[in-house]
Amino acid sequence: MRGEGLFTERAPNGRFQWQLKAMNGRVVAVSSSVHESSADAERAFAELVALGPALVARITHVRDGLGWTWVVPGPRGNPLVKSSRAYERYATCQNAFRRFMALVARMAETGAQPLAGAQPVTGVRPAVVGGVGAAGGDGAGGVGGGV
């Protein structure tokens, strides 16, 4: 399925998640938490969009395997959004987060609405989106908003 935008989908456990897709139809990011209704998932995404440029990602190395993922922590440290997959290179992960931020900014400007008719999520895996962070140390860097 191609199309850019927000898709809310029912997970196998009956709860809802959102996915953000790019123009090419690839999933760019997924919600870290599940919600009781589709409307709750859409509200959570709207709150994320409202934070906009203030979003900061943390890029970390995958524990069991190869690659890098990004996650945006919330005020209490719980993840708000995460990449849909792992990236082989740190720089690719950074760039993916930049693309996510650009898509969120574009959606904020246009006031994009969720797309209907999404397929059920069958095997939710971590979203892969590159983040921009500080190099060095353990490889976990904060990624600031802005493109």
Side-chain angles (χ1 to χ4, degrees), residues 34-107:
V34 292
H35 305 276
E36 293 299 321
S37 70
S38 180
D40 288 345
E42 292 166 15
R43 243 186 321 278
F45 181 77
E47 291 171 5
L48 182 78
V49 170
L51 294 173
L55 296 175
V56 175
R58 180 171 172 84
I59 299 174
T60 57
H61 196 269
V62 177
R63 288 184 190 187
D64 299 326
L66 302 173
W68 300 88
T69 60
W70 61 264
V71 64
V72 174
R76 296 185 211 173
N78 296 335
L80 295 177
V81 58
K82 59 187 177 181
S83 61
S84 60
R85 64 182 180 98
Y87 291 94
E88 186 176 329
R89 293 184 171 84
Y90 183 86
T92 307
C93 190
Q94 289 177 316
N95 289 333
F97 181 73
R98 287 185 186 116
R99 289 189 301 272
F100 163 73
M101 291 298 292
L103 184 54
V104 167
R106 189 164 53 249
M107 291 186 76

Short mmCIF file of all heavy atoms in Angstrom, two decimals, residues 34-107:
data_model
loop_
_atom_site.label_atom_id
_atom_site.label_comp_id
_atom_site.label_asym_id
_atom_site.label_seq_id
_atom_site.Cartn_x
_atom_site.Cartn_y
_atom_site.Cartn_z
N VAL A 34 0.56 1.32 22.83
CA VAL A 34 -0.71 0.95 22.21
C VAL A 34 -1.82 1.74 22.90
O VAL A 34 -1.67 2.17 24.04
CB VAL A 34 -0.97 -0.57 22.28
CG1 VAL A 34 0.02 -1.32 21.43
CG2 VAL A 34 -0.93 -1.07 23.71
N HIS A 35 -2.93 1.91 22.18
CA HIS A 35 -4.02 2.76 22.67
C HIS A 35 -5.33 1.98 22.62
O HIS A 35 -5.49 1.05 21.84
CB HIS A 35 -4.10 4.02 21.82
CG HIS A 35 -2.79 4.76 21.76
ND1 HIS A 35 -2.39 5.64 22.73
CD2 HIS A 35 -1.78 4.70 20.87
CE1 HIS A 35 -1.20 6.11 22.42
NE2 HIS A 35 -0.81 5.55 21.30
N GLU A 36 -6.27 2.41 23.44
CA GLU A 36 -7.56 1.72 23.54
C GLU A 36 -8.41 1.89 22.29
O GLU A 36 -9.22 1.03 21.97
CB GLU A 36 -8.33 2.21 24.77
CG GLU A 36 -7.69 1.81 26.08
CD GLU A 36 -7.58 0.30 26.24
OE1 GLU A 36 -8.51 -0.43 25.85
OE2 GLU A 36 -6.54 -0.15 26.75
N SER A 37 -8.26 3.01 21.60
CA SER A 37 -9.08 3.26 20.40
C SER A 37 -8.23 3.92 19.33
O SER A 37 -7.16 4.45 19.60
CB SER A 37 -10.27 4.15 20.75
OG SER A 37 -9.82 5.46 21.03
N SER A 38 -8.76 3.91 18.14
CA SER A 38 -8.10 4.58 17.02
C SER A 38 -8.00 6.07 17.29
O SER A 38 -6.99 6.70 17.00
CB SER A 38 -8.89 4.31 15.73
OG SER A 38 -8.28 4.94 14.64
N ALA A 39 -9.04 6.64 17.87
CA ALA A 39 -9.04 8.07 18.20
C ALA A 39 -7.95 8.41 19.21
O ALA A 39 -7.31 9.46 19.10
CB ALA A 39 -10.42 8.50 18.73
N ASP A 40 -7.73 7.53 20.18
CA ASP A 40 -6.67 7.75 21.17
C ASP A 40 -5.30 7.74 20.50
O ASP A 40 -4.43 8.54 20.83
CB ASP A 40 -6.69 6.68 22.27
CG ASP A 40 -7.87 6.84 23.22
OD1 ASP A 40 -8.50 7.91 23.22
OD2 ASP A 40 -8.15 5.87 23.96
N ALA A 41 -5.11 6.83 19.55
CA ALA A 41 -3.84 6.75 18.82
C ALA A 41 -3.63 8.02 18.01
O ALA A 41 -2.53 8.57 17.97
CB ALA A 41 -3.81 5.52 17.92
N GLU A 42 -4.68 8.50 17.36
CA GLU A 42 -4.59 9.73 16.56
C GLU A 42 -4.28 10.94 17.45
O GLU A 42 -3.51 11.82 17.09
CB GLU A 42 -5.87 9.94 15.79
CG GLU A 42 -6.07 8.90 14.70
CD GLU A 42 -7.48 8.89 14.15
OE1 GLU A 42 -8.25 9.85 14.39
OE2 GLU A 42 -7.83 7.91 13.46
N ARG A 43 -4.90 10.98 18.63
CA ARG A 43 -4.63 12.06 19.59
C ARG A 43 -3.17 12.04 20.04
O ARG A 43 -2.53 13.08 20.16
CB ARG A 43 -5.56 11.93 20.80
CG ARG A 43 -6.50 13.08 20.98
CD ARG A 43 -7.32 13.03 22.27
NE ARG A 43 -7.81 11.72 22.67
CZ ARG A 43 -8.91 11.14 22.19
NH1 ARG A 43 -9.62 11.74 21.28
NH2 ARG A 43 -9.30 9.97 22.63
N ALA A 44 -2.65 10.86 20.30
CA ALA A 44 -1.25 10.73 20.72
C ALA A 44 -0.31 11.24 19.63
O ALA A 44 0.67 11.93 19.91
CB ALA A 44 -0.92 9.28 21.06
N PHE A 45 -0.64 10.93 18.37
CA PHE A 45 0.18 11.43 17.27
C PHE A 45 0.07 12.95 17.16
O PHE A 45 1.07 13.63 16.94
CB PHE A 45 -0.22 10.78 15.94
CG PHE A 45 0.63 11.26 14.80
CD1 PHE A 45 1.92 10.79 14.64
CD2 PHE A 45 0.15 12.21 13.90
CE1 PHE A 45 2.72 11.24 13.61
CE2 PHE A 45 0.94 12.66 12.87
CZ PHE A 45 2.23 12.18 12.72
N ALA A 46 -1.12 13.50 17.33
CA ALA A 46 -1.31 14.95 17.27
C ALA A 46 -0.48 15.65 18.36
O ALA A 46 0.10 16.72 18.12
CB ALA A 46 -2.79 15.31 17.42
N GLU A 47 -0.40 15.06 19.53
CA GLU A 47 0.42 15.62 20.60
C GLU A 47 1.90 15.59 20.22
O GLU A 47 2.63 16.53 20.50
CB GLU A 47 0.19 14.85 21.90
CG GLU A 47 -1.18 15.05 22.49
CD GLU A 47 -1.49 14.12 23.66
OE1 GLU A 47 -0.58 13.36 24.09
OE2 GLU A 47 -2.64 14.14 24.13
N LEU A 48 2.31 14.52 19.55
CA LEU A 48 3.70 14.41 19.08
C LEU A 48 4.00 15.50 18.04
O LEU A 48 5.03 16.16 18.11
CB LEU A 48 3.92 13.02 18.47
CG LEU A 48 5.32 12.73 17.98
CD1 LEU A 48 6.23 12.41 19.16
CD2 LEU A 48 5.32 11.58 17.01
N VAL A 49 3.08 15.71 17.11
CA VAL A 49 3.26 16.73 16.08
C VAL A 49 3.34 18.11 16.72
O VAL A 49 4.13 18.96 16.30
CB VAL A 49 2.13 16.66 15.03
CG1 VAL A 49 2.16 17.86 14.09
CG2 VAL A 49 2.22 15.37 14.24
N ALA A 50 2.55 18.35 17.76
CA ALA A 50 2.56 19.65 18.44
C ALA A 50 3.92 19.93 19.08
O ALA A 50 4.33 21.09 19.18
CB ALA A 50 1.47 19.68 19.50
N LEU A 51 4.63 18.89 19.50
CA LEU A 51 5.96 19.08 20.08
C LEU A 51 6.98 19.47 19.01
O LEU A 51 7.97 20.14 19.31
CB LEU A 51 6.42 17.80 20.78
CG LEU A 51 5.64 17.40 22.02
CD1 LEU A 51 6.09 16.03 22.50
CD2 LEU A 51 5.78 18.44 23.11
N GLY A 52 6.74 19.01 17.79
CA GLY A 52 7.54 19.38 16.62
C GLY A 52 9.03 19.46 16.82
O GLY A 52 9.68 18.47 17.16
N PRO A 53 9.61 20.66 16.60
CA PRO A 53 11.06 20.83 16.65
C PRO A 53 11.70 20.50 18.01
O PRO A 53 12.90 20.31 18.09
CB PRO A 53 11.27 22.30 16.33
CG PRO A 53 10.02 22.72 15.64
CD PRO A 53 8.93 21.87 16.19
N ALA A 54 10.90 20.40 19.05
CA ALA A 54 11.45 20.10 20.37
C ALA A 54 11.77 18.61 20.53
O ALA A 54 12.41 18.23 21.51
CB ALA A 54 10.46 20.53 21.46
N LEU A 55 11.36 17.79 19.57
CA LEU A 55 11.62 16.35 19.67
C LEU A 55 13.10 16.05 19.56
O LEU A 55 13.80 16.61 18.72
CB LEU A 55 10.87 15.59 18.58
CG LEU A 55 9.35 15.65 18.65
CD1 LEU A 55 8.75 14.95 17.44
CD2 LEU A 55 8.85 15.02 19.93
N VAL A 56 13.56 15.19 20.42
CA VAL A 56 14.96 14.76 20.43
C VAL A 56 14.99 13.25 20.45
O VAL A 56 14.27 12.62 21.22
CB VAL A 56 15.69 15.32 21.69
CG1 VAL A 56 17.10 14.78 21.77
CG2 VAL A 56 15.68 16.83 21.68
N ALA A 57 15.81 12.67 19.58
CA ALA A 57 15.89 11.21 19.52
C ALA A 57 17.16 10.71 20.18
O ALA A 57 18.18 11.39 20.21
CB ALA A 57 15.86 10.74 18.06
N ARG A 58 17.08 9.53 20.68
CA ARG A 58 18.24 8.83 21.24
C ARG A 58 18.54 7.66 20.31
O ARG A 58 17.66 6.84 20.04
CB ARG A 58 17.92 8.33 22.64
CG ARG A 58 19.06 7.60 23.29
CD ARG A 58 18.74 7.34 24.75
NE ARG A 58 19.73 6.48 25.35
CZ ARG A 58 20.89 6.90 25.84
NH1 ARG A 58 21.18 8.18 25.80
NH2 ARG A 58 21.73 6.06 26.38
N ILE A 59 19.75 7.61 19.81
CA ILE A 59 20.16 6.55 18.90
C ILE A 59 20.98 5.53 19.67
O ILE A 59 21.92 5.90 20.36
CB ILE A 59 20.98 7.11 17.73
CG1 ILE A 59 20.14 8.11 16.94
CG2 ILE A 59 21.47 6.00 16.83
CD1 ILE A 59 20.90 8.81 15.85
N THR A 60 20.58 4.28 19.56
CA THR A 60 21.30 3.23 20.27
C THR A 60 21.55 2.04 19.35
O THR A 60 20.84 1.83 18.37
CB THR A 60 20.51 2.74 21.50
OG1 THR A 60 19.23 2.27 21.08
CG2 THR A 60 20.34 3.84 22.52
N HIS A 61 22.55 1.27 19.71
CA HIS A 61 22.88 0.06 18.97
C HIS A 61 21.92 -1.04 19.40
O HIS A 61 21.56 -1.14 20.56
CB HIS A 61 24.33 -0.35 19.27
CG HIS A 61 24.86 -1.32 18.29
ND1 HIS A 61 24.77 -2.68 18.49
CD2 HIS A 61 25.48 -1.14 17.10
CE1 HIS A 61 25.32 -3.29 17.46
NE2 HIS A 61 25.75 -2.38 16.60
N VAL A 62 21.50 -1.83 18.45
CA VAL A 62 20.60 -2.94 18.73
C VAL A 62 21.31 -3.94 19.64
O VAL A 62 22.46 -4.29 19.39
CB VAL A 62 20.16 -3.62 17.42
CG1 VAL A 62 19.28 -4.83 17.69
CG2 VAL A 62 19.44 -2.63 16.53
N ARG A 63 20.64 -4.40 20.67
CA ARG A 63 21.26 -5.32 21.64
C ARG A 63 21.58 -6.67 21.03
O ARG A 63 22.66 -7.19 21.18
CB ARG A 63 20.35 -5.53 22.84
CG ARG A 63 20.28 -4.34 23.73
CD ARG A 63 19.45 -4.64 24.94
NE ARG A 63 19.21 -3.39 25.66
CZ ARG A 63 18.63 -3.32 26.80
NH1 ARG A 63 18.21 -4.42 27.40
NH2 ARG A 63 18.45 -2.18 27.40
N ASP A 64 20.61 -7.26 20.39
CA ASP A 64 20.78 -8.61 19.85
C ASP A 64 20.80 -8.55 18.33
O ASP A 64 19.81 -8.84 17.68
CB ASP A 64 19.65 -9.54 20.31
CG ASP A 64 19.61 -9.69 21.81
OD1 ASP A 64 20.70 -9.68 22.41
OD2 ASP A 64 18.52 -9.81 22.37
N GLY A 65 21.92 -8.16 17.79
CA GLY A 65 22.02 -8.10 16.34
C GLY A 65 22.80 -6.90 15.88
O GLY A 65 23.46 -6.22 16.65
N LEU A 66 22.70 -6.65 14.60
CA LEU A 66 23.41 -5.55 13.99
C LEU A 66 22.47 -4.38 13.76
O LEU A 66 21.31 -4.56 13.45
CB LEU A 66 24.01 -5.98 12.65
CG LEU A 66 24.98 -7.17 12.72
CD1 LEU A 66 25.35 -7.61 11.33
CD2 LEU A 66 26.20 -6.78 13.51
N GLY A 67 23.00 -3.19 13.86
CA GLY A 67 22.23 -2.03 13.48
C GLY A 67 21.99 -1.03 14.59
O GLY A 67 22.36 -1.24 15.74
N TRP A 68 21.35 0.06 14.16
CA TRP A 68 21.06 1.20 15.02
C TRP A 68 19.58 1.54 14.90
O TRP A 68 19.00 1.44 13.83
CB TRP A 68 21.89 2.41 14.60
CG TRP A 68 23.35 2.17 14.68
CD1 TRP A 68 24.17 1.64 13.72
CD2 TRP A 68 24.18 2.45 15.80
NE1 TRP A 68 25.45 1.57 14.18
CE2 TRP A 68 25.50 2.06 15.45
CE3 TRP A 68 23.96 2.98 17.06
CZ2 TRP A 68 26.56 2.20 16.31
CZ3 TRP A 68 25.02 3.11 17.92
CH2 TRP A 68 26.32 2.73 17.56
N THR A 69 18.99 1.94 16.01
CA THR A 69 17.60 2.40 16.00
C THR A 69 17.52 3.73 16.72
O THR A 69 18.42 4.09 17.48
CB THR A 69 16.65 1.41 16.70
OG1 THR A 69 17.06 1.24 18.05
CG2 THR A 69 16.62 0.06 16.00
N TRP A 70 16.44 4.45 16.49
CA TRP A 70 16.23 5.70 17.22
C TRP A 70 14.91 5.61 17.97
O TRP A 70 14.01 4.86 17.60
CB TRP A 70 16.25 6.92 16.30
CG TRP A 70 15.19 6.94 15.24
CD1 TRP A 70 15.32 6.53 13.94
CD2 TRP A 70 13.86 7.41 15.38
NE1 TRP A 70 14.15 6.71 13.29
CE2 TRP A 70 13.23 7.24 14.13
CE3 TRP A 70 13.13 7.94 16.43
CZ2 TRP A 70 11.90 7.60 13.92
CZ3 TRP A 70 11.80 8.29 16.22
CH2 TRP A 70 11.20 8.13 14.97
N VAL A 71 14.83 6.36 19.04
CA VAL A 71 13.61 6.45 19.84
C VAL A 71 13.53 7.87 20.40
O VAL A 71 14.55 8.47 20.73
CB VAL A 71 13.59 5.39 20.98
CG1 VAL A 71 14.70 5.62 21.97
CG2 VAL A 71 12.25 5.35 21.66
N VAL A 72 12.32 8.40 20.47
CA VAL A 72 12.09 9.71 21.07
C VAL A 72 11.48 9.48 22.44
O VAL A 72 10.36 8.99 22.55
CB VAL A 72 11.15 10.58 20.21
CG1 VAL A 72 10.82 11.88 20.92
CG2 VAL A 72 11.75 10.84 18.84
N PRO A 73 12.23 9.79 23.50
CA PRO A 73 11.70 9.59 24.85
C PRO A 73 10.71 10.69 25.24
O PRO A 73 10.84 11.83 24.83
CB PRO A 73 12.94 9.64 25.74
CG PRO A 73 13.93 10.43 24.97
CD PRO A 73 13.61 10.26 23.52
N GLY A 74 9.73 10.30 26.05
CA GLY A 74 8.75 11.25 26.55
C GLY A 74 9.25 11.92 27.82
O GLY A 74 10.37 11.68 28.26
N PRO A 75 8.41 12.73 28.43
CA PRO A 75 8.81 13.47 29.63
C PRO A 75 9.23 12.58 30.79
O PRO A 75 10.07 12.95 31.59
CB PRO A 75 7.56 14.28 30.00
CG PRO A 75 6.55 14.04 28.96
CD PRO A 75 7.06 13.03 28.01
N ARG A 76 8.66 11.39 30.90
CA ARG A 76 9.01 10.47 31.99
C ARG A 76 10.04 9.43 31.56
O ARG A 76 10.28 8.48 32.28
CB ARG A 76 7.76 9.77 32.48
CG ARG A 76 6.76 10.70 33.09
CD ARG A 76 5.61 9.92 33.65
NE ARG A 76 4.39 10.70 33.56
CZ ARG A 76 3.21 10.27 33.83
NH1 ARG A 76 3.06 9.03 34.20
NH2 ARG A 76 2.16 11.05 33.72
N GLY A 77 10.57 9.59 30.35
CA GLY A 77 11.55 8.65 29.86
C GLY A 77 10.97 7.50 29.06
O GLY A 77 11.69 6.72 28.46
N ASN A 78 9.64 7.37 29.06
CA ASN A 78 9.01 6.32 28.27
C ASN A 78 9.03 6.72 26.80
O ASN A 78 8.82 7.88 26.47
CB ASN A 78 7.55 6.12 28.69
CG ASN A 78 7.43 5.64 30.11
OD1 ASN A 78 8.35 5.03 30.64
ND2 ASN A 78 6.31 5.93 30.74
N PRO A 79 9.26 5.78 25.90
CA PRO A 79 9.32 6.12 24.48
C PRO A 79 7.99 6.62 23.94
O PRO A 79 6.94 6.05 24.23
CB PRO A 79 9.70 4.80 23.81
CG PRO A 79 10.03 3.85 24.88
CD PRO A 79 9.52 4.38 26.16
N LEU A 80 8.03 7.68 23.13
CA LEU A 80 6.84 8.20 22.46
C LEU A 80 6.69 7.61 21.07
O LEU A 80 5.61 7.29 20.62
CB LEU A 80 6.91 9.73 22.33
CG LEU A 80 6.90 10.54 23.60
CD1 LEU A 80 7.07 12.02 23.28
CD2 LEU A 80 5.61 10.31 24.36
N VAL A 81 7.82 7.54 20.38
CA VAL A 81 7.85 7.06 19.00
C VAL A 81 9.20 6.40 18.77
O VAL A 81 10.18 6.75 19.43
CB VAL A 81 7.59 8.21 18.00
CG1 VAL A 81 8.61 9.31 18.15
CG2 VAL A 81 7.55 7.72 16.56
N LYS A 82 9.23 5.45 17.84
CA LYS A 82 10.49 4.75 17.56
C LYS A 82 10.60 4.47 16.07
O LYS A 82 9.61 4.51 15.34
CB LYS A 82 10.59 3.46 18.36
CG LYS A 82 9.45 2.49 18.10
CD LYS A 82 9.52 1.32 19.05
CE LYS A 82 8.32 0.40 18.82
NZ LYS A 82 8.36 -0.73 19.75
N SER A 83 11.81 4.18 15.66
CA SER A 83 12.04 3.83 14.27
C SER A 83 11.36 2.49 13.98
O SER A 83 11.14 1.69 14.88
CB SER A 83 13.53 3.77 13.97
OG SER A 83 14.17 2.81 14.75
N SER A 84 11.04 2.26 12.72
CA SER A 84 10.32 1.04 12.37
C SER A 84 11.25 -0.15 12.14
O SER A 84 10.81 -1.28 12.06
CB SER A 84 9.46 1.25 11.13
OG SER A 84 10.27 1.62 10.04
N ARG A 85 12.54 0.13 12.01
CA ARG A 85 13.49 -0.95 11.77
C ARG A 85 14.87 -0.50 12.25
O ARG A 85 15.05 0.63 12.66
CB ARG A 85 13.55 -1.32 10.29
CG ARG A 85 14.06 -0.20 9.41
CD ARG A 85 14.04 -0.61 7.94
NE ARG A 85 14.53 0.46 7.12
CZ ARG A 85 15.78 0.55 6.66
NH1 ARG A 85 16.66 -0.38 6.97
NH2 ARG A 85 16.16 1.55 5.91
N ALA A 86 15.82 -1.41 12.17
CA ALA A 86 17.20 -1.09 12.54
C ALA A 86 17.98 -0.73 11.27
O ALA A 86 17.75 -1.30 10.21
CB ALA A 86 17.85 -2.27 13.23
N TYR A 87 18.90 0.21 11.41
CA TYR A 87 19.75 0.63 10.30
C TYR A 87 21.15 0.08 10.49
O TYR A 87 21.65 0.01 11.60
CB TYR A 87 19.81 2.16 10.22
CG TYR A 87 18.50 2.75 9.78
CD1 TYR A 87 17.57 3.19 10.71
CD2 TYR A 87 18.18 2.84 8.44
CE1 TYR A 87 16.36 3.72 10.31
CE2 TYR A 87 16.97 3.37 8.03
CZ TYR A 87 16.06 3.80 8.97
OH TYR A 87 14.87 4.32 8.56
N GLU A 88 21.77 -0.27 9.38
CA GLU A 88 23.10 -0.86 9.43
C GLU A 88 24.15 0.14 9.91
O GLU A 88 25.07 -0.20 10.62
CB GLU A 88 23.49 -1.38 8.04
CG GLU A 88 24.79 -2.12 8.01
CD GLU A 88 25.09 -2.71 6.65
OE1 GLU A 88 24.15 -3.05 5.92
OE2 GLU A 88 26.28 -2.82 6.31
N ARG A 89 23.99 1.39 9.52
CA ARG A 89 24.97 2.43 9.86
C ARG A 89 24.35 3.51 10.74
O ARG A 89 23.19 3.89 10.56
CB ARG A 89 25.52 3.06 8.59
CG ARG A 89 26.34 2.09 7.79
CD ARG A 89 26.97 2.77 6.57
NE ARG A 89 27.91 1.89 5.93
CZ ARG A 89 27.57 0.97 5.05
NH1 ARG A 89 26.30 0.80 4.72
NH2 ARG A 89 28.48 0.20 4.49
N TYR A 90 25.16 4.03 11.63
CA TYR A 90 24.73 5.11 12.54
C TYR A 90 24.26 6.33 11.74
O TYR A 90 23.21 6.90 12.02
CB TYR A 90 25.90 5.47 13.46
CG TYR A 90 25.58 6.51 14.49
CD1 TYR A 90 25.02 6.14 15.71
CD2 TYR A 90 25.85 7.85 14.27
CE1 TYR A 90 24.72 7.09 16.67
CE2 TYR A 90 25.55 8.80 15.23
CZ TYR A 90 24.99 8.42 16.43
OH TYR A 90 24.69 9.35 17.37
N ALA A 91 25.04 6.72 10.72
CA ALA A 91 24.70 7.90 9.92
C ALA A 91 23.37 7.72 9.18
O ALA A 91 22.60 8.67 9.04
CB ALA A 91 25.81 8.21 8.93
N THR A 92 23.09 6.52 8.74
CA THR A 92 21.83 6.25 8.06
C THR A 92 20.67 6.41 9.04
O THR A 92 19.61 6.93 8.69
CB THR A 92 21.82 4.83 7.47
OG1 THR A 92 22.99 4.67 6.66
CG2 THR A 92 20.59 4.58 6.63
N CYS A 93 20.87 5.98 10.25
CA CYS A 93 19.86 6.13 11.30
C CYS A 93 19.62 7.62 11.58
O CYS A 93 18.48 8.05 11.71
CB CYS A 93 20.31 5.39 12.55
SG CYS A 93 19.06 5.26 13.83
N GLN A 94 20.68 8.39 11.64
CA GLN A 94 20.55 9.84 11.84
C GLN A 94 19.72 10.46 10.72
O GLN A 94 18.82 11.27 10.97
CB GLN A 94 21.92 10.51 11.86
CG GLN A 94 22.73 10.22 13.09
CD GLN A 94 24.09 10.87 13.01
OE1 GLN A 94 24.76 10.82 11.98
NE2 GLN A 94 24.51 11.48 14.10
N ASN A 95 20.04 10.10 9.49
CA ASN A 95 19.32 10.66 8.34
C ASN A 95 17.86 10.25 8.35
O ASN A 95 16.99 11.03 7.96
CB ASN A 95 19.99 10.23 7.03
CG ASN A 95 21.30 10.93 6.83
OD1 ASN A 95 21.52 12.03 7.32
ND2 ASN A 95 22.20 10.29 6.12
N ALA A 96 17.57 9.04 8.78
CA ALA A 96 16.19 8.59 8.85
C ALA A 96 15.41 9.42 9.86
O ALA A 96 14.24 9.76 9.63
CB ALA A 96 16.14 7.11 9.21
N PHE A 97 16.03 9.75 10.99
CA PHE A 97 15.34 10.60 11.96
C PHE A 97 15.09 11.99 11.37
O PHE A 97 14.02 12.57 11.57
CB PHE A 97 16.11 10.72 13.27
CG PHE A 97 15.40 11.58 14.28
CD1 PHE A 97 14.27 11.11 14.91
CD2 PHE A 97 15.85 12.85 14.57
CE1 PHE A 97 13.58 11.91 15.82
CE2 PHE A 97 15.18 13.66 15.48
CZ PHE A 97 14.04 13.18 16.11
N ARG A 98 16.04 12.51 10.63
CA ARG A 98 15.85 13.81 9.98
C ARG A 98 14.65 13.75 9.02
O ARG A 98 13.85 14.68 8.95
CB ARG A 98 17.10 14.22 9.23
CG ARG A 98 18.23 14.65 10.13
CD ARG A 98 19.41 15.17 9.31
NE ARG A 98 20.53 15.46 10.17
CZ ARG A 98 21.68 14.83 10.12
NH1 ARG A 98 21.90 13.88 9.23
NH2 ARG A 98 22.64 15.14 10.95
N ARG A 99 14.55 12.67 8.28
CA ARG A 99 13.42 12.51 7.35
C ARG A 99 12.10 12.43 8.12
O ARG A 99 11.08 12.97 7.69
CB ARG A 99 13.62 11.30 6.46
CG ARG A 99 14.71 11.52 5.42
CD ARG A 99 14.77 10.41 4.39
NE ARG A 99 14.99 9.09 4.96
CZ ARG A 99 16.18 8.56 5.19
NH1 ARG A 99 17.29 9.23 4.91
NH2 ARG A 99 16.29 7.35 5.70
N PHE A 100 12.11 11.72 9.26
CA PHE A 100 10.93 11.66 10.10
C PHE A 100 10.52 13.05 10.55
O PHE A 100 9.35 13.42 10.47
CB PHE A 100 11.20 10.76 11.32
CG PHE A 100 10.21 10.93 12.43
CD1 PHE A 100 8.92 10.44 12.33
CD2 PHE A 100 10.57 11.60 13.59
CE1 PHE A 100 8.01 10.61 13.36
CE2 PHE A 100 9.67 11.77 14.63
CZ PHE A 100 8.39 11.28 14.51
N MET A 101 11.48 13.84 11.01
CA MET A 101 11.18 15.19 11.47
C MET A 101 10.63 16.06 10.34
O MET A 101 9.71 16.85 10.55
CB MET A 101 12.43 15.84 12.08
CG MET A 101 12.87 15.22 13.40
SD MET A 101 11.63 15.39 14.71
CE MET A 101 11.68 17.17 14.95
N ALA A 102 11.17 15.90 9.14
CA ALA A 102 10.68 16.66 7.98
C ALA A 102 9.24 16.27 7.66
O ALA A 102 8.40 17.13 7.36
CB ALA A 102 11.59 16.44 6.78
N LEU A 103 8.93 14.99 7.75
CA LEU A 103 7.58 14.52 7.49
C LEU A 103 6.61 15.03 8.55
O LEU A 103 5.50 15.48 8.23
CB LEU A 103 7.56 13.00 7.43
CG LEU A 103 6.25 12.31 7.08
CD1 LEU A 103 5.67 12.84 5.77
CD2 LEU A 103 6.45 10.81 7.00
N VAL A 104 7.01 15.02 9.80
CA VAL A 104 6.17 15.54 10.88
C VAL A 104 5.92 17.04 10.66
O VAL A 104 4.80 17.51 10.81
CB VAL A 104 6.81 15.27 12.26
CG1 VAL A 104 6.13 16.08 13.36
CG2 VAL A 104 6.74 13.78 12.58
N ALA A 105 6.96 17.78 10.28
CA ALA A 105 6.80 19.22 10.03
C ALA A 105 5.84 19.46 8.87
O ALA A 105 4.98 20.35 8.94
CB ALA A 105 8.16 19.85 9.74
N ARG A 106 5.96 18.66 7.82
CA ARG A 106 5.07 18.81 6.67
C ARG A 106 3.63 18.50 7.07
O ARG A 106 2.70 19.20 6.66
CB ARG A 106 5.53 17.90 5.54
CG ARG A 106 4.82 18.13 4.24
CD ARG A 106 5.50 17.52 3.04
NE ARG A 106 5.82 16.11 3.14
CZ ARG A 106 7.06 15.61 3.23
NH1 ARG A 106 8.10 16.41 3.24
NH2 ARG A 106 7.25 14.32 3.30
N MET A 107 3.44 17.49 7.89
CA MET A 107 2.09 17.15 8.34
C MET A 107 1.52 18.24 9.23
O MET A 107 0.32 18.53 9.18
CB MET A 107 2.09 15.81 9.06
CG MET A 107 2.36 14.65 8.11
SD MET A 107 2.20 13.06 8.91
CE MET A 107 0.41 12.94 9.01
#
